[in-house]
């Protein structure tokens, strides 16, 4: 509730309240105006490229000292650093979003409840979103583009290390919005401190959704403290089950790609489950190849009997997202065993079966409870760009609202519009009239 | 995570774990079998009617003593009590659910990512749901029917006062399931104590969604303590704005129906906003009619000048869901003032404009952020049955997943199935092949 005495309002509450008002305006701007903001921002990023690079150099200089002291990792430093090519990539990301169709005011269903009493279910923006991310400044152009395209306002909180870069990037969006008459500039806001985040996570009166983008620890910490719904994913413990009817060459390709193509990704594989009938033919060569690629293999008792020099896998291994060059291997008696293991240890992210047996595949695809269930394809395909969404806001392992890779539609909800000419409920409860409930059309 | 030492598992965790396994089976049962469970349960409710009535008499006898001591209200007692007609109503509710189409395995989209690499987005059950309700035993048949129809398992916690009735009703469903070969009876469970609920609200490893059905206090309490997503609504502070271009006869009908047709409902109106140009013509007669119907009118300073004998409305009135025969009245200068008031005090449930001016209506319908925005119709239409959903699980004022009246689709999520023939991501990142991303069809 807005405080009656406006003086009591904290700075963040003021920002959130104004952003919420801006969201209402943004939602009603014509599609062309929202697109124009993206077009101007792309041009400005090109124009103000030098300024972005200089700000990033300043950030990097400070971060370098932290790197030397071991306060940040070199991976962290690399994510912070941008370049001319990096800015080109940011511009392309905005262009990808610009190319997406308008997600607003789409009719989902239309029902004639009675004569001249029409119920429309129609898409609309969620409202005000809180985005929390770590060092990567390139998140800003993509997320702001997605938000403006979908009519949502933003509170952005980036990593302190990227502060200068983030400020220039946000100022570019403010300049773009300021050039458009009547564009609500309060829609996009950058917060600065950890305390800001703590306060933000409790503004459930103003903020509709929190999206943390970054490490597992960040997501877990945000989910634990937020009174606002959170869209994100905790863990990516993905499995590949190589069935007795697998084409072993396909299995080799898929496992190798899923583990080594980008091991830090949440959609890379952590545990390999192999049917006992094919384990002797498959595992020795597979594991040798993985080890040549620098992957440490940890195995169950049965796989140890088959493979030389591997570490025994413990209970902890089955529950671990390695996010690196380690894989655990388990030999199973059948598909049901594989399903039980996945049900027990999987994080509902992405699970794959390799098989030529369509019955086994169907059972797996039907029974596994995960955002993505794959047959004969690398787990690394679980990604918004590869799915063809044009942009990815993140991956959700929750089951409500948006599941799996989330594109623009993750920022959209719906409302019901009922258009009558004076109808009242008493007419229907008394039996004077009956509802028709005639579906007029479904566009989507 | 399942505990390694199974002995450490509490009773509720055991129930939840088995229910989750049952959910996986339930989800893969053919549509006909799920429907058959509903058909058998309907017949059994008819057969075992006397048993239900006797259990209910036992519950009511105990509750009557509590009523005499003032420990429960007479409204509470009435909701607890059932009758032959009440059982007939329960059976009809199950029949309504049985008549709904199968919500599972519906293709939402189909995309050809590349040759022989097909991405399906397909509906599936959410999994295991926790339903918490108060005295009304008639919630059980409806909710169990919805759950079985949609392939979800349930943990039910009803009010202690309805314990005997609830047990008979649940045993009817168990009997129905037991008659069907291979039906996972662990899917439907009744919990008994408050401690069970407290433990249930933290079983986020097993339970996917909590749905509290009952008073505002129940919903608020559950939302505060649950680590599992909650579907429900906190408050229903609904407004009607009578515009300067309103047909005043329609306005009179709509306001009268919205306030008096069933004042305890969350979709009844709490605050009436009237354009200053029509207030002198409209308000005196409107308020006189409301007062004749037993409604207390509280008004802003300007309306007091117009109306005799009304109580001044305070800040607290604008924030209050009366859930009874009280209405607050405010005269506003224009539509923008009405929108500001709604933005500030509305609970995003249902908001209505009465006007013949389509521009004003469009601005209102576009700008109001609520699950339902109505033009020229009673707020009481905001209801799953009236919307034509066949059954209503509840009303959500949240914006994620399901919004407004929630029918069967509130119990449904989706997953992505990717069917390939050995494709790996490296082929695409290296540029050897390019994605096609061709939309093959959209069924829904």
């Amino acid at each position: 509730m807005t405080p009656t005495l406006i003086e009591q309002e904290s700075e963040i509450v003021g920002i959130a309240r104004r952003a919420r008002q801006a969201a209402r305006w943004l939602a009603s701007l014509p599609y062309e105006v929202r697109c124009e903001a993206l077009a101007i921002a792309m041009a400005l990023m090109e124009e103000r490229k030098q300024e972005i690079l200089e700000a990033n150099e300043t950030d990097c200089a400070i971060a370098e000292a932290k790197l030397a002291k071991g306060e940040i990792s070199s991976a962290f430093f690399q994510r912070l650093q941008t370049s001319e090519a990096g800015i080109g990539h940011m511009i392309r990301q905005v262009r990808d979003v610009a190319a997406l169709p308008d997600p607003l005011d789409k009719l989902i269903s239309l029902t004639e409840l009675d004569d001249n009493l029409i119920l429309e279910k129609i898409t609309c923006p969620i409202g005000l979103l809180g985005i929390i991310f770590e060092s990567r400044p390139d998140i800003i152009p993509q997320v702001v583009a997605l938000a403006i395209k979908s009519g949502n306002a933003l509170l952005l909180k980036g990593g302190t290390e990227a502060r200068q870069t983030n400020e220039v990037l946000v100022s570019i969006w403010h300049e773009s919005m300021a050039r458009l008459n009547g564009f609500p500039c309060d829609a996009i806001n950058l917060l600065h401190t950890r305390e800001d985040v703590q306060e933000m996570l409790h503004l459930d009166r103003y903020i509709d959704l929190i999206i943390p983008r970054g490490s597992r620890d960040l997501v877990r910490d945000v989910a634990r403290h937020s009174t606002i719904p959170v869209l994100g994913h905790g863990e990516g413990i993905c499995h590949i089950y190589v069935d007795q009817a697998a084409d072993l060459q396909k299995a080799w390709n898929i496992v190798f790609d899923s583990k080594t193509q980008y091991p830090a990704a949440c959609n890379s594989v952590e545990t390999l489950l192999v049917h006992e009938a094919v384990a002797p033919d498959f595992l020795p060569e597979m594991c040798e190849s993985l080890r040549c690629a620098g992957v440490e293999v940890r195995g169950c008792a049965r796989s140890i009997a088959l493979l030389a020099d591997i570490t025994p896998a413990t209970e902890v291994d089955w529950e671990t997202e390695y996010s690196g060059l380690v894989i655990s291997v388990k030999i199973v008696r059948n598909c049901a065993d594989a399903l039980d293991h996945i049900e027990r240890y999987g994080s509902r992210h992405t699970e794959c079966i390799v098989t030529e047996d369509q019955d086994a595949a169907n059972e797996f695809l039907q029974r596994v409870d995960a955002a993505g269930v794959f047959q004969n394809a690398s787990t690394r395909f679980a990604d918004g760009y590869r799915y063809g969404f044009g942009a990815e806001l993140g991956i959700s392992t929750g089951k409500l609202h948006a599941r799996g890779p989330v594109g623009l539609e993750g920022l959209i909800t719906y409302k019901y519009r009922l258009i009558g000419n004076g109808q009242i409920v008493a007419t229907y409860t008394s039996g004077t009239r009956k509802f028709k409930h005639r579906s007029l059309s479904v566009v989507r």
Side-chain angles (χ1 to χ4, degrees), chain A:
Chain A
M1 198 52 54
T2 315
T4 314
L5 296 169
I6 213 80
E7 293 79 11
Q8 296 174 345
E9 191 179 76
S10 78
E11 193 193 343
I12 303 298
V13 169
I15 291 172
R17 192 175 46 77
R18 286 187 297 273
R20 189 171 185 91
Q21 284 164 354
R24 303 309 307 147
W25 279 113
L26 186 57
S28 55
L29 286 179
Y31 177 61
E32 296 69 29
V33 178
R34 283 178 277 132
C35 289
E36 186 63 17
L38 271 61
I40 297 174
M42 282 191 272
L44 286 173
M45 281 163 78
E46 190 62 48
E47 265 177 48
R48 293 173 59 179
K49 195 187 286 184
Q50 211 47 47
E51 199 185 333
I52 302 171
L53 291 173
E54 279 162 23
N56 191 246
E57 272 168 34
T58 310
D59 283 333
C60 287
I62 299 167
E64 229 164 353
K66 289 191 181 179
L67 179 63
K69 286 189 229 158
E71 289 171 13
I72 60 170
S73 70
S74 65
F76 187 99
F77 183 79
Q78 276 166 32
R79 287 195 296 268
L80 171 64
Q81 203 166 26
T82 192
S83 62
E84 229 179 295
I87 295 170
H89 179 66
M90 293 183 205
I91 295 172
R92 276 196 305 282
Q93 285 197 309
V94 177
R95 188 169 298 130
D96 285 344
V97 175
L100 297 173
D102 187 7
L104 300 183
D105 289 323
K106 295 283 164 280
L107 211 51
I108 300 168
S109 68
L110 194 62
T111 313
E112 185 185 42
L113 304 191
D114 194 0
D115 297 343
N116 299 309
L117 187 62
I118 307 294
L119 182 70
E120 305 172 353
K121 185 178 182 180
I122 196 162
T123 61
C124 62
I126 289 181
L128 176 57
L129 317 175
I131 314 278
I132 302 165
F133 53 105
E134 290 172 329
S135 54
R136 291 175 50 186
D138 62 330
I139 284 182
I140 290 185
Q142 189 199 21
V143 165
V144 177
L146 281 164
I148 292 180
K149 183 92 184 194
S150 60
N152 288 285
L154 289 184
L155 301 186
L156 293 158
K157 169 65 178 75
T160 324
E161 290 77 10
R163 182 167 180 155
Q164 309 283 337
T165 321
N166 289 343
E167 280 184 355
V168 174
L169 288 168
V170 168
S171 82
I172 284 175
W173 284 95
H174 280 152
E175 186 180 343
S176 160
M177 293 188 282
R179 288 197 193 172
L180 292 160
N181 209 3
F183 209 101
C185 296
D186 285 339
I188 307 298
N189 304 275
L190 186 63
L191 307 183
H192 289 295
T193 70
R194 265 183 183 282
E195 292 68 42
D196 290 348
V197 174
Q198 288 310 315
E199 196 175 346
M200 175 165 113
L201 295 180
H202 293 92
L203 297 181
D204 42 32
R205 171 73 194 171
Y206 298 107
I207 304 175
D208 297 296
L209 180 64
I210 297 283
I211 306 178
R213 287 188 59 164
S215 71
R216 215 178 346 171
D217 290 346
L218 172 75
V219 177
R220 197 180 293 158
D221 195 56
V222 165
R224 196 173 293 154
H225 292 103
S226 179
T227 59
I228 304 163
V230 174
L231 188 75
H233 72 98
E235 290 182 300
I237 304 178
C238 305
H239 300 76
I240 296 173
Y241 165 57
V242 178
D243 186 49
Q244 62 178 330
D247 175 324
L248 296 185
Q249 183 57 49
K250 288 182 189 171
W252 188 96
N253 289 336
I254 289 168
V255 172
F256 195 82
D257 188 78
S258 298
K259 184 72 247 178
T260 67
Q261 205 267 330
Y262 186 45
C266 60
N267 58 13
S268 68
V269 70
E270 310 297 347
T271 300
L272 174 59
L273 304 168
V274 182
H275 192 287
E276 58 182 15
V278 295
D281 279 346
F282 178 67
L283 271 180
E285 195 189 334
M286 182 76 246
C287 291
E288 187 50 33
S289 308
L290 286 168
R291 281 152 71 177
C292 288
V295 178
E296 180 192 341
V297 180
R298 301 183 189 168
C300 68
R302 292 183 70 187
S303 57
I304 290 174
L306 208 62
L307 303 162
D309 303 331
I310 67 166
T311 321
T314 66
E315 184 72 15
V316 173
D317 283 291
W318 312 129
E319 317 176 336
T320 299
E321 180 180 8
Y322 300 117
S323 303
L325 290 170
V326 186
I327 195 166
S328 55
V329 174
K330 188 178 185 180
I331 296 176
V332 294
R333 281 171 306 163
N334 48 40
C335 186
D337 269 7
L339 287 168
D340 285 347
H341 183 97
I342 291 169
E343 170 64 21
R344 184 160 174 185
Y345 298 107
S347 65
R348 329 237 180 269
H349 189 297
T350 303
E351 309 292 353
C352 172
I353 182 172
V354 184
T355 190
E356 302 298 308
D357 173 355
Q358 207 48 50
D359 288 342
N362 288 343
E363 191 190 353
F364 188 92
L365 295 172
Q366 168 75 43
R367 298 255 334 265
V368 169
D369 179 24
V373 282
F374 290 8
Q375 179 190 2
N376 295 339
S378 168
T379 57
R380 294 271 302 124
F381 281 109
D383 170 279
Y385 284 98
R386 291 175 198 137
Y387 277 8
F389 296 169
E392 184 188 281
L393 191 70
I395 290 192
S396 166
T397 50
K399 294 179 180 178
L400 301 184
H401 187 59
R403 195 176 193 198
V406 180
L408 197 53
E409 91 288 355
L411 300 185
I412 295 297
T413 181
Y414 58 81
K415 61 184 179 185
Y416 289 99
R417 292 184 178 183
L418 182 64
I419 316 294
N421 71 349
Q423 286 90 344
I424 62 172
V425 162
T427 314
Y428 299 87
T429 50
S430 67
T432 308
R433 287 195 68 88
K434 278 193 172 10
F435 286 109
K436 293 187 169 175
H437 290 146
R438 195 159 67 91
S439 176
L440 293 182
S441 80
V442 178
V443 175
R444 192 172 80 173

